[in-house]
Amino acid sequence: MAFDKSEVEKIAHLARLHLSSSESEEVAARVSDILGLIDKMQSVDTDAVAPLSHPFEAVQKLRPDVVTEPNRRDELQALAPLCQDGLFLVPKVIE
Amino acid sequence: MEFETVIGLEVHCQLATESKLFSGSATQFGAEPNTQANIFDLALPGTLPVLNEKAVAMAVKFGLAIGAEIGKHSVFDRKNYFYPDLPKGYQVSQLDYPTVGKGTLSITLDDGSEKIIGVTRAHMEEDAGKSLHEDYQGMSGIDLNRAGTPLLEIVSEPDLRSAKEAVAYLKKLHSIIRYLDISDAIMAQGSFRCDANVSIRPVGQTEFGTRTEIKNINSFKFVEKAINYEVRRQQELIEDGGRVVQETRLYDADKDETRSMRSKEVANDYRYFPEPDLLPIVIDDEFIEAIRAQLPELPDARAARFVGDFGLSDYDAGVLVASREMADFFETVAQRSGDAKLAANWVSQDLQALLNKNNWELSESPIQAERLADLILRIKDDTVSGKIAKTVFEAMLSDESSVDAIIEAKGLKQVTDSGALEGLVDQVIADNPDQAQQYRDGKVQVIGFLVGQCMKLSQGKANPAQINEILRNKL
């Protein structure tokens, strides 16, 4: 399965990654190789195998519904570049 | 051309847990910004999710209430998109293996018939934070208190055929959720949110038309208005030779219209994949049965019992069971007063009118179930008439004393002493000789006027049945 440069650019954009034109081409070639391997794997008959959602043979532990985290706003906001009125400030985003 | 409307609803319901879905941060509504957002909620590197058992239990409880298949093996997935109020860059949700599978609930249509509406699924996911776009130095402000609050997204089948049916479904869902006590479900606070998928098709056509998704509907009233607007818009578009475009539209309540959201660039490419930080959730029968054992009596069953045990009409029963609090209130009044019919009337009419007028929650009413039952007992034993009872009811609003004390203090006790009543009747006959003569001459309906005069003279305190009898005897 071939993967071209424009698809790489689309995914890079969705992931907010900047790739130069030559990088996009290189990545397209490498991803095509990986997909080639996956194509090969697709030919294996897996009809009788349940999908694996996690490689560990374990199940999720649950925690009781208890508030354990105190308010640490001041410490946490000290890590942020800009805050005001208790809010984190980010470049204006409006849909 | 005649069109048929097809609606499916997606409801996001915040689960009323103390802590978040994957972290131990608090979930109180209305807290100061970012005081309930900690390292995991802020997506600091190295933090990992730990699933809240109560949230899982609440989702299962909902599933059982709508007779749904419970996913014994459910999986969380990452839904990837960038937005500042989603610090991880993905929302943890469930795609292929939700906790709650197919179920149903029934709604009552205008003609009194029942219609079964399919619920496709209900999955758990985390809520996002809030972006505030007021001017903060030309920037947006982010409050992450809500980020990570557990949500149950309940998706209906496209089984709804009108805005009215959509509202009935939404109200039923709301009622069930409140009975289960798994969410505050307050639309105005965003703990119960509704998106509507709306399309139309020519009557008789089996394929669905192109749908639009309406967001930002934050009251039951707006659900109906937004859908009706959108149906009209699509109809006019098609009749003018246009085509409906699949898109997300925002409802603007002030203008009563929906408008196209500038479509998010490369929309809906969420690149879901299984969340590697969480293992599959395995729910065993023991867990499910323990929750089933805690299920309360649900609105439909309760309404049926009210009809069967108390002899209420389907309509009265339906009104009373709509909220669990109201149904509990009614039941207390009915049991204590021993008169379900009177209890139903007082609760669904006088009390309801009082709550509406003052915009009170039931818990805020100065008249609680016990005192209302006591008032009904005094109507039943003829201490007060039904009419005077309304005066007592009014007095109870500003006076916390017992019903008997209020009746006593205000001198509202019904006069049943026949000597006193006879005196009253004698005076009315003497004051209204013409009407008395008319009665004797056979114009019997004049009795109504004379009884009215007696009641007036007694300031409503005479027993009308007794007055009636004494009048007839004397005339």
Side-chain angles (χ1 to χ4, degrees):
Chain A
M1 185 186 184
F3 204 71
D4 66 27
K5 194 177 149 192
S6 70
E7 284 168 296
V8 170
E9 280 165 353
K10 183 182 158 204
I11 292 172
H13 174 71
L14 285 169
R16 300 297 186 270
L17 292 174
H18 176 74
L19 295 180
S20 69
S21 180
S22 61
E23 280 173 324
S24 292
E25 265 166 41
E26 193 199 322
V27 170
R30 277 162 50 195
V31 172
S32 293
D33 282 351
I34 296 169
L35 291 176
L37 177 64
I38 290 174
D39 277 345
K40 207 176 270 177
M41 290 161 71
Q42 297 279 32
S43 66
V44 178
D45 178 10
T46 55
D47 283 357
V49 183
L52 180 73
S53 49
H54 203 280
F56 299 161
E57 291 279 324
V59 299
Q60 183 62 40
K61 280 238 163 77
L62 305 177
R63 56 166 242 277
D65 179 30
V66 177
V67 175
T68 51
E69 295 289 328
N71 169 17
R72 293 170 63 194
R73 185 173 79 180
D74 291 346
E75 284 165 85
L76 290 168
Q77 293 205 327
L79 303 172
L82 215 49
C83 293
Q84 185 188 318
D85 304 338
L87 300 164
F88 294 99
L89 298 193
V90 299
K92 193 140 196 136
V93 273
I94 270 267
E95 297 191 329
Chain B
M1 195 189 288
E2 278 246 33
F3 288 100
E4 179 182 49
T5 303
V6 177
I7 303 161
L9 297 182
E10 292 171 15
V11 172
H12 284 86
C13 171
Q14 279 182 351
L15 296 173
T17 52
E18 297 294 321
S19 64
K20 292 188 177 175
L21 186 56
F22 299 120
S23 84
S25 300
T27 56
Q28 294 263 324
F29 179 80
E32 283 292 302
N34 292 308
T35 53
Q36 298 179 159
N38 287 288
I39 51 172
F40 176 79
D41 318 310
L42 265 50
L44 294 194
T47 55
L48 287 169
V50 191
L51 182 58
N52 186 334
E53 178 172 14
K54 186 88 173 281
V56 179
M58 285 173 161
V60 170
K61 200 172 184 185
F62 174 76
L64 293 174
I66 61 161
E69 303 156 15
I70 303 300
K72 292 189 173 174
H73 179 102
S74 51
V75 176
F76 280 104
D77 298 277
R78 289 188 183 180
K79 177 181 179 179
N80 299 280
Y81 66 92
F82 279 103
Y83 208 70
D85 56 26
L86 186 78
K88 291 198 296 291
Y90 55 84
Q91 178 190 31
V92 178
S93 181
Q94 297 180 313
L95 184 64
D96 293 323
Y97 301 97
T99 300
V100 178
K102 274 188 189 303
T104 56
L105 59 83
S106 83
I107 59 171
T108 307
L109 305 181
D110 277 350
D111 64 5
S113 65
E114 296 283 307
K115 179 173 174 180
I116 304 292
I117 307 298
V119 172
T120 317
R121 57 186 282 155
H123 60 262
M124 283 191 279
E125 62 185 25
E126 52 181 353
D127 209 342
K130 276 184 186 167
S131 302
L132 303 161
H133 300 299
E134 293 97 65
D135 195 26
Y136 294 101
Q137 309 167 36
M139 304 180 88
S140 291
I142 307 293
D143 175 7
L144 296 171
N145 278 349
R146 199 178 68 178
T149 298
L151 293 176
L152 189 64
E153 178 174 341
I154 303 154
V155 182
S156 86
E157 292 284 313
D159 287 347
L160 301 157
R161 290 290 172 271
S162 68
K164 274 207 158 138
E165 287 187 20
V167 172
Y169 166 83
L170 205 57
K171 286 193 168 161
K172 190 56 167 288
L173 194 59
H174 185 267
S175 167
I176 290 172
I177 285 165
R178 289 297 310 132
Y179 267 70
L180 297 173
D181 204 15
I182 57 172
S183 171
D184 300 337
I186 301 170
M187 271 190 134
Q189 291 184 359
S191 51
F192 190 78
R193 316 198 281 266
C194 172
D195 300 334
N197 288 306
V198 179
S199 66
I200 59 171
R201 62 182 171 191
V203 170
Q205 180 181 308
T206 45
E207 309 90 80
F208 293 128
T210 305
R211 66 188 156 86
T212 59
E213 182 179 11
I214 315 173
K215 288 190 178 286
N216 200 33
I217 313 175
N218 54 18
S219 82
F220 288 107
K221 191 175 79 186
F222 293 156
V223 172
E224 189 165 353
K225 293 182 101 173
I227 292 172
N228 281 333
Y229 173 86
E230 182 59 17
V231 168
R232 264 198 319 277
R233 188 191 71 87
Q234 292 186 10
Q235 242 179 59
E236 283 165 15
L237 198 63
I238 291 171
E239 279 164 355
D240 292 347
R243 289 173 69 95
V244 175
V245 183
Q246 185 167 345
E247 61 177 353
T248 303
R249 300 180 66 86
L250 277 186
Y251 179 65
D252 181 333
D254 293 333
K255 295 190 180 139
D256 186 24
E257 63 176 31
T258 65
R259 61 166 181 270
S260 183
M261 271 169 79
R262 262 180 294 159
S263 58
K264 281 185 207 163
E265 37 177 348
V266 205
N268 293 329
D269 196 347
Y270 293 127
R271 294 149 295 141
Y272 280 94
F273 63 87
E275 160 64 293
D277 288 345
L278 287 161
L279 293 159
I281 309 143
V282 173
I283 298 170
D284 60 19
D285 287 335
E286 196 185 340
F287 187 83
I288 294 174
E289 290 317 311
I291 293 167
R292 196 191 304 278
Q294 297 165 16
L295 279 183
E297 184 183 33
L298 290 165
D300 286 351
R302 200 163 196 187
R305 185 165 59 79
F306 283 1
V307 171
D309 289 6
F310 294 134
L312 299 189
S313 67
D314 287 337
Y315 179 81
D316 283 350
V319 170
L320 289 167
V321 301
S323 94
R324 184 177 179 172
E325 292 77 14
M326 190 59 86
D328 289 345
F329 191 103
F330 159 73
E331 243 184 308
T332 308
V333 176
Q335 264 155 16
R336 191 174 163 118
S337 69
D339 192 323
K341 191 66 210 164
L342 269 181
N345 288 343
W346 277 89
V347 172
S348 61
Q349 290 163 25
D350 303 84
L351 184 79
Q352 193 60 57
L354 178 74
L355 300 181
N356 291 347
K357 187 176 138 209
N358 296 287
N359 209 6
W360 279 334
E361 292 294 322
L362 186 55
S363 59
E364 294 173 284
S365 166
I367 300 176
Q368 288 298 314
E370 288 72 19
R371 283 212 303 166
L372 184 55
D374 289 348
L375 178 59
I376 292 171
L377 283 169
R378 291 298 160 262
I379 300 170
K380 286 182 60 184
D381 68 10
D382 284 334
T383 305
V384 294
S385 65
K387 196 166 169 224
I388 287 290
K390 311 253 176 202
T391 312
V392 180
F393 186 82
E394 283 293 320
M396 286 160 74
L397 293 179
S398 53
D399 189 338
E400 287 178 8
S401 28
S402 72
V403 170
D404 287 339
I406 292 173
I407 293 172
E408 190 64 37
K410 301 224 175 246
L412 293 171
K413 205 164 173 169
Q414 183 159 262
V415 180
T416 50
D417 168 56
S418 47
L421 292 180
E422 283 190 25
L424 208 69
V425 169
D426 285 338
Q427 192 181 335
V428 167
I429 291 174
D431 289 349
N432 301 280
D434 294 349
Q435 283 82 357
Q437 193 52 48
Q438 281 171 16
Y439 181 84
R440 290 190 195 100
D441 294 345
K443 203 178 166 197
V444 288
Q445 61 270 39
V446 179
I447 194 94
F449 169 81
L450 292 168
V451 171
Q453 292 303 306
C454 292
M455 293 307 292
K456 202 169 155 190
L457 196 62
S458 75
Q459 292 166 314
K461 288 186 291 189
N463 179 323
Q466 259 179 299
I467 289 282
N468 204 303
E469 199 189 323
I470 296 168
L471 260 171
R472 282 171 198 278
N473 288 338
K474 287 201 182 272
L475 291 169

